[in-house]
Amino acid sequence: MARNSNGRRVRHTDYLDNGLVADYTGPGLLPGQSAGGGHGVGAYLLSRAMPHLPPWLAAAGIGIAGGLGSLKWEESAAAGVGLTLASVALTGATWWMGKSTTAQRRLHSAITVAATSAWTTAACLAGPTAGPLPDLYLMGAPALALSWNIRMILRRNDAPAGESSDKGLLEKVGLARAQIGTAKVEPNRVTAPLAVEAGEQTNDDVSKALARIASALDLPTSAVRYQPDGDSNRRGDLVIVPEDMLAEAAYWEGPSNLGGSIADPLVIGRYDDGSPMYLWLPGDPDAGRNGTHVLVAGGTGSGKGETALNLQTEILSRRDVLLWLSDPKMFQDFRPLLPGIDWAAEGGTPTEVMVEAIQAVIPARTRWLGQHNYRQWVPAAAEVQNDAKHSCSADGRACGCAGMPYLVAWMEEAASTLRNLGDDAFTGIAQEARSAGVSLIVSLQRPSYDQMSTSTRASLPSVIALGCDPRDESFSLPDTVLDAGAHPGAWGNRRPGYCYLVTPGIDETRYASPGRTWGFGRAAVSRMEVLADWAQRNGATADPVTGGAASSVAGNAYTGRPTPGGEPTGHAAMDEDDMDEVGYGPLVDPEDADIDPEAELPDSEQGDDAPIFGQETGRKPSPEEARRLFAQALEEFERDGHMVVGPKDFMDWCDRNSLSRPWVSARLKEAALEGRLEPTNTTGRWRIVPALTAA
């Protein structure tokens, strides 16, 4: 026995057969035979005849009642009045009470009661053997009994699929002619093949009826799902999960595979039938699975923070992966994990620097993988390259190059980043990163098209959809999953951690199955700290290609994960030749190659070099002094890890040095020509090229 979400006891054999309801006593028993029944031909015949005996017993009882009544009321006028009124009242009551049944049953019942009560009244007043009464009894009683036997036989064998004594469940929900095949019964899960009427209905009609089916079965909407057959538009599987096994929260007890590879599945929770929820980030060429990016979406209070902890703890527990995290909320949820994270950036400029670094890292990693004959990242790419098959040496011998760990770039509360950088800030990353062994994870409340570009959304094939506003469901989940019965809007923020998981690697029939991520209580904090310490000591460190490309963009803002009890690992920046090899291209626009950087700067006038901060407020330095002071400002920004700048960033600096501001725009252009600055995707923002690289 199990219990459904309403606390009712439900047998696994419920929700089967016609009308999705069945009742049997056990496997291997004949219909109508109990576990304690006898065996043999006699027992079998008795079990087959017993359901048909009640009408015959009633017919015999009517004859006996007429004979006994005649002994007391024969030729009694008062009894005649009373019996006649009782007969009329009983017939009327039968007709009234039968209004909720089918018209045939109502009419059949009323005729039976009227005929039997009329004969009984006549027999009580005149005697059962008077006149035609015995002939009427001998012909009428068997006829009525047989009519009920025939009705029973027709109801059991010839009724259309889905029809039962009360018109059937499927008839109630508008699928009267649908046919249900043999159901598959599993613990807390029933799967029944369903086929709607050819040419009249489609799978869409079944999807629209799911809420009514759940209502008819007295179950929550998420407990009833429909999985269309990919080869037919009228066939599919109706899935019913009567008991909500997610109602009781389960808490995180530690990583599922400490020290394993990131290529192994990440376990982030369990489905409503108790099975684990798996998520893969890298691709697998043998399984035909591509790498994936992930969108984590859910309203306030839906459990995004704990869902993120589930994923991050699984990632940090693997030996061959780096995690870069941007969080405008100052790591409120993730602070215990910071020691194990390779790069953690707050919102604003630090996140802007990280985005620029990721864009630089992707081509560098892709180039390395191509040189070592990897079409995509696999666990072998994270090991020292001692296999000649993956050698970059011209002579075909093992090159011994350091391996390249997988990289996960996590953008928490990404709506803030998208507002600052533009709604397509992640488009290029999402479209190109998978081939470089990089997964992008974007977490935000409402992935609507006014916050995230359609190109970026289309490049995030995996989604963890938590509770949300019903109007936002289509922003998170594909229409096919919503049609199959997924309904995150039904949860809102009332069931934290409830979610739907759509991702490569799991059976598509699971997409509409609700799950729930593990909870993280206070007891989990110490476990997370232990895990972060393990990752700090045993986790992967950035390879020279990834670390070098990141440092060439971020400078001191990226130093790598700090070693236990020591300083950050640090990464040498690439020189100019290295950057050309990786594919960054020249630092000076060819159209500006004829500009003499040593020429004196003209005074600021209206036009291209018009003041951008208003009127001058201080002294105006000479061109030589301007160059020196501007270089000093860039060094200060770089030393502080402030690697993306714009005119507004120089306002305080100018005030501190009592300098005028109109020349800032010209200095920015000049620094770009010298290779000290690079334009970013955001208008008016420049990325500082570390001094070692620009030299």
Side-chain angles (χ1 to χ4, degrees), residues 135-145:
D135 295 327
L136 290 175
Y137 177 79
L138 292 176
M139 290 185 291
L144 287 175

Side-chain angles (χ1 to χ4, degrees), residues 105-183:
R105 174 180 288 271
R106 186 183 190 188
L107 182 61
H108 192 188
S109 300
I111 291 174
T112 300
V113 172
T116 55
S117 60
W119 185 89
T120 303
T121 299
C124 290
L125 297 177
T129 59
L133 291 180
D135 295 327
L136 290 175
Y137 177 79
L138 292 176
M139 290 185 291
L144 287 175
L146 282 172
S147 70
W148 283 99
N149 290 158
I150 293 171
R151 184 180 186 87
M152 184 181 299
I153 293 171
L154 291 177
R155 184 176 70 247
R156 289 188 175 183
N157 298 333
D158 297 334
E163 183 175 347
S164 64
S165 60
D166 58 353
K167 292 207 256 186
L169 171 65
L170 295 184
E171 183 177 353
K172 290 180 178 179
V173 299
L175 303 173
R177 297 189 179 183
Q179 296 182 0
I180 295 182
T182 302

Side-chain angles (χ1 to χ4, degrees), residues 611-623:
I612 58 176
F613 293 108
Q615 300 297 320
E616 296 183 8
T617 57
R619 64 187 178 86
K620 186 173 182 179
S622 66

Side-chain angles (χ1 to χ4, degrees), residues 53-63 116 137:
L53 290 180
W56 295 93
L57 295 177
I62 290 169
T116 55
Y137 177 79

Side-chain angles (χ1 to χ4, degrees), residues 273-599:
D273 61 358
S275 58
M277 294 177 65
Y278 292 126
L279 173 65
W280 286 266
L281 292 178
D284 184 347
D286 295 333
R289 187 186 71 247
N290 293 323
T292 191
H293 305 309
V294 183
L295 170 66
V296 182
T300 302
S302 63
K304 286 199 312 301
E306 291 194 340
T307 299
L309 288 174
N310 276 277
L311 261 174
Q312 290 184 17
T313 52
E314 285 289 281
I315 292 169
L316 292 179
S317 69
R318 308 305 168 92
R319 66 179 185 274
D320 50 6
V321 61
L322 303 172
L323 176 60
W324 291 359
L325 170 64
S326 163
D327 183 11
K329 294 194 304 182
M330 314 304 177
F331 319 111
Q332 181 179 6
D333 294 326
F334 315 121
R335 192 157 298 279
L337 298 176
L338 285 182
I341 296 175
D342 188 64
W343 186 4
E346 297 177 354
T349 299
T351 292
E352 197 173 0
V353 173
M354 178 178 285
V355 171
E356 292 293 323
I358 296 171
Q359 293 174 341
V361 159
I362 289 172
R365 290 174 61 92
T366 303
R367 179 183 179 88
W368 185 93
L369 290 170
Q371 289 176 335
H372 290 82
N373 300 310
Y374 291 107
R375 297 188 62 185
Q376 64 179 348
W377 188 94
V378 292
E383 308 295 335
V384 177
Q385 302 303 294
N386 290 325
D387 184 354
K389 178 181 178 181
H390 297 292
S391 172
C392 62
S393 299
D395 55 9
R397 293 183 297 178
C399 61
C401 293
M404 176 182 288
Y406 199 76
L407 176 61
V408 177
W410 188 299
M411 298 294 160
E412 183 68 15
E413 296 294 343
S416 174
T417 302
L418 291 169
R419 282 194 300 270
N420 294 333
L421 303 184
D423 64 352
D424 61 349
F426 304 137
T427 300
I429 296 173
Q431 293 175 343
E432 302 169 4
R434 287 190 296 173
S435 62
V438 179
S439 280
L440 174 67
I441 300 180
V442 178
S443 175
L444 73 170
Q445 293 184 15
R446 190 173 185 267
S448 56
Y449 303 119
D450 60 343
Q451 296 198 42
M452 177 185 295
S453 72
T454 55
S455 297
T456 301
R457 179 63 188 89
S459 300
L460 301 175
S462 296
V463 59
I464 302 176
L466 295 107
C468 63
D469 188 292
R471 295 169 294 183
D472 295 341
E473 291 180 340
S474 60
F475 296 140
S476 302
L477 291 174
D479 291 340
T480 54
V481 179
L482 294 174
D483 292 341
H487 190 25
W491 301 326
N493 60 2
R494 297 180 299 278
R495 297 188 178 183
Y498 276 64
C499 63
Y500 293 100
L501 174 62
V502 176
T503 185
I506 66 174
D507 191 343
E508 292 185 6
T509 60
R510 283 285 191 187
Y511 288 175
S513 298
R516 189 174 186 180
T517 56
W518 310 121
F520 279 73
R522 292 184 179 179
V525 174
S526 59
R527 292 195 184 103
M528 287 191 287
E529 292 173 344
V530 171
L531 174 61
D533 181 70
W534 180 92
Q536 189 178 27
R537 297 175 182 276
N538 303 289
T541 56
D543 58 284
V545 173
T546 302
S551 296
S552 71
V553 170
N556 293 334
Y558 174 69
T559 56
R561 179 172 48 239
T563 57
E567 297 296 326
T569 55
H571 297 284
M574 292 183 175
D575 59 28
E576 187 172 349
D577 293 336
D578 292 333
M579 295 182 71
D580 287 337
E581 288 183 5
V582 171
Y584 296 134
L587 295 175
V588 178
D589 192 326
E591 295 181 359
D592 298 329
D594 58 340
I595 297 178
D596 182 6
E598 299 300 324

